Amino acid sequence: MAALVLFLASAAANTVLYLNASGARQRILEDLMRAHVRLSAEVLDPVAHSRLTSAEMNGSPDHLAQLQKLQTIRRAYPQIKRLYTMRADEKDNLSIILDTFPPQAMNNEPPKIGRPPDHPLEKMREALVHLRRGELYEMSGTAPEDQVLGVMTPLPRQTSGFIDFVIADISNQYVATNLSVIRAAYYIALLVSLALALAGGFAVYLLRLRELVARQMSPGESEFFRKVTAVLPGLLYQARVSPLGQIKLTYASEDARSVCEMEPEELRRDPAAIVRLIHPDDRKQLKEKMLKANKGSKTWQEEFRVVLPKAGVRWRLGVAHVEKLADGSSLWHGFVTDTTARKQADEALRKNEASLKAAQQVAAMGSWELDLSDPTDLKSKTLRWSDETFRVFGLEPNSVPVSHDLFFQLVHPDDRALVEAALSEAVKTRGRYSLDHRIILAGGGIRHVHENAVILHHEKTGNSIAMLGTVHDITGRVRREEAVRRNEQRLKLATQAGRVGTWDYDVATKKIHWNDVMFTMKKLDPATFDPNLDESEDLLHPDDRARVMAEFNRCLSSRETRYESESRISLRDGEVLHTRSIAEILRDANGQAVRCVGIEIDVTAEKHAIESALAADRAKSEFLAMMSHEIRTPMNGVLGFTALLKETALAGDQEEYVTTIESSGQHLLHLINDILDLSKIESGRIKIHPAPFALRPFLQELFTLLRPRATEKHLDYRWNIEANAPEIILTDRTRLGQILTNLLGNAVKFTDRGKVHLQVMASKVSGSDNIWQWNFTVQDTGPGIAAGMLDKIFDPFYQADLSVTRRHGGTGLGLAISRRLARLLGGEISVTSTLGDGSEFTATILAPEALLEEPAIAPTASETGHFPGKKVLIVDDDPVGRKLCNLQLTKLGFVTVMAANGSEAVAKSREQQFDAILMDVQMPDMDGFTATREIRRFEKKRTPIIALTANAMIEDRERSLEAGMDDYISKPMKLDVLTRTLARWV
Ligand code: ADP
């Protein structure tokens, strides 16, 4: 009875065990299927897979590569009824993409991509809900021939719209077959248990049997396991965890070697070793998750890192089904596989994506993708935009789904047709497009973008897969270009309005680019004339060509950055233009000229104006010279004869009249001289003739001239040179004399009592070798000048106090001339004055100290006056002048001969030898210069020839000396000057 009870109990226990074991067996199979499906999803390339869109891609490299991966997995698991991938579109229409064969049928043609599933899958709708959530889904269904168990899992990283997934089917028949094996074991166990029960030792056996059933398999099964696990890239295990947490490994597949670098045996002996391999950072979390799974019957899945002795840090994916056992322990049916490569690829991809994002942001360039794989209407499609594309459009990344319509709403209305045409043309021709257009920003405003797009199509079939594009914010560039265009336009208008020609010479090609003004200016037709350097050279006036080209080439070949020239241009119609060119020379890094960009202006009118102004100026000075000659000649007579008249006995008032005539004449002469001087200075025609001279005798001479008037007024009249001042100065003696005479003259003229002092100081200009600053200060105790007048007195014809001036005479030109002369000598005239107290004028000039080459000639005895028997030829066309001269010379004891013009003078000189000739320069017939040259040609002994010039111009003095004359006297002749000059030569 007891045995019967024991047997029944044993049978019941066995039944429970059988049911348990068969459940466990099925779960192991299911786990394996899951592992395979996951593995398949892992090894397939989701992107390549998503490109497999139509039957035309059958046999394409993508197709074959993906198929082969799946087939390999299938081969490792021959019990799988089918292993294939499917796609469900938005409307849940299903099609098969990759399909594997049973291992023995490998040489068959691969099944076509895209065909519909060949058996009804009614429950697929529910499955798709799970798959779309990224979850694994299992279901059983009815295939035509038998029951099937299907496990499906989605491929990662699905593109929007459709979903790709892997399915593995296993026939329930197979499960049933396997169960019959277990069932047989059950019956045997039942019988054995009966025997053993009878033997009374079944209590111990009971436990053993349970383990046996749980652990051991039929020979067919273990063969199957051996094969599968041998090829499976991963560790398949079964472990039992006691309520106290002790782990006992009941099975570990061969791949333990690569998964944890341990022999399966070793692992079985010390299963805790695997815990030690877990990366410290992942250990805590993993433990928590495992403990949680351990509590209830659950599926556990986790990715974690291990640190292996050889391979170092690697990623592992663990999947397990945890089964709670009645004794509180749990049974883990699990699989661990290496996911390092995928993790690394993911990481690389993440990095690439991150750097792509950064690059896009930096370049302000976004990218987009338009899926063209299914041939529905373009308008119904959505676009995939990169973050930067959203930003370019003024949107937050991924803030809205981008439909075709939304995109076109953002395109500027005026550009929509253009963009639409480019897009549909590219789709139609499977080509590319590149265009600039405007977009309206979400927050308002307009942006300019540049878009580039290409169509991706399948290499073999040529079917379009997608359109890929970039969008680049070019607003800044467009605005700058617009600004440049506007500036160019303005410049063009300005150059045209200002009739400024512009040219741009390219050194390498010798080509010149002209603007319209250049063509108009040079009367050439842009249609027929293509300017280059040779053509431009031809246009130059022949007389300017060599000079201009030499200068141009010099500028190009030197380091100059600027070229400037004026030249004449001979137009084809014979007209001659004057133009001015200014150009910038642009050089490369080596300093070689590469371009020359410049302007050219027609200055013909300006030239003509200057020429006529110069001509007018010449005419004016000629007129002045003429007039001064014409006035001076009669003045010569007036003053000369007045002087002679004064020496005769005059009765009563006559002497006073004669004196008045003389002073009026002198005044008139003074005025003429001043006007002449000022007009010459104003026209810039006055030249400075520096020569060395001793300052003391020079000042003495000046002082002496004015002494009579100073003495007349009982003035304290003195001059002084500071001791350190150099003896000899190098400057224009005449001009300095003119300045000082004027200042001293004014002081003596305006001062009625008190003093007139001249103080000379000199100091070396610092930093110079030998330049001295000379200060000539004239102090007086005259009436002084009102402060408001101090500036004005230097203006021509300005006189401070007309009543005083009327009393003293004067032209109002003296200070104007003196200040201008002082400036010509490198200095200035300044004045300080107090009304009623007197004035102080200081003339400053810059001049070097000099050495006198020839000592000053001491006056000879004859200077005082008598030249008895010396023969002088007087040449003058003016009879009054001749007569006056004759009278003066006779008084000095000379014998005189007269000639009325140049040719007469030449004739007379041929006849006899003179001791001196006084030669007027301006004469009709033959002038004095020509006559002198003529005489110089034939004379045997050099006769001193002294020029008589009426216009007192320095140029005349130079011309006289050039013509071969020895000295000159300006008209009207003063007796003392005449005496001194003749004494030098006779
Ligand atoms: P001018 O003496 O021929 O009138 P200036 O040009 O030499 O012409 O002088 C201009 C004016 O400056 C004089 O008319 C006079 O009013 C004033 N002036 C010049 N020098 C003196 C001076 N030393 N004292 C007072 N006034 C002077």
Side-chain angles (χ1 to χ4, degrees), residues 411-418 438:
V411 172
H412 192 287
D414 296 353
D415 295 349
R416 263 173 217 160
L418 179 83
R438 288 160 295 171

Side-chain angles (χ1 to χ4, degrees), residues 19-71:
L19 292 174
N20 252 344
S22 60
R25 180 66 51 240
Q26 178 141 0
R27 274 192 289 276
I28 288 176
L29 290 172
E30 282 168 13
D31 282 350
L32 269 174
M33 297 249 302
R34 277 188 213 109
H36 273 78
V37 166
R38 283 213 173 92
L39 189 68
S40 307
E42 205 66 50
V43 297
L44 287 177
D45 174 351
V47 178
H49 189 270
S50 71
R51 284 199 293 263
L52 304 174
T53 48
S54 67
E56 278 104 279
M57 295 176 78
N58 243 47
S60 67
D62 270 348
H63 181 212
L64 293 178
Q66 302 304 313
L67 192 60
Q68 198 160 4
K69 288 183 189 172
L70 213 56
Q71 192 70 49

Side-chain angles (χ1 to χ4, degrees), residues 746 749-750 780 785 793 798-801 810-812 814-815 839 841:
N746 280 344
K749 181 165 75 176
F750 292 112
D780 66 45
I785 304 154
I793 53 173
Y798 190 86
Q799 294 173 321
D801 184 339
T811 60
L815 286 177
S839 317
F841 285 83

Side-chain angles (χ1 to χ4, degrees), residues 231-264:
V231 290
L232 254 191
L235 162 70
L236 204 64
Y237 67 89
Q238 191 179 53
R240 192 180 162 132
V241 184
S242 77
L244 293 174
Q246 269 176 328
I247 304 166
K248 193 169 175 207
L249 215 57
T250 45
Y251 176 76
S253 68
E254 295 293 300
D255 214 23
R257 288 186 198 96
S258 66
V259 171
C260 47
E261 292 183 357
M262 283 167 98
E263 286 300 317

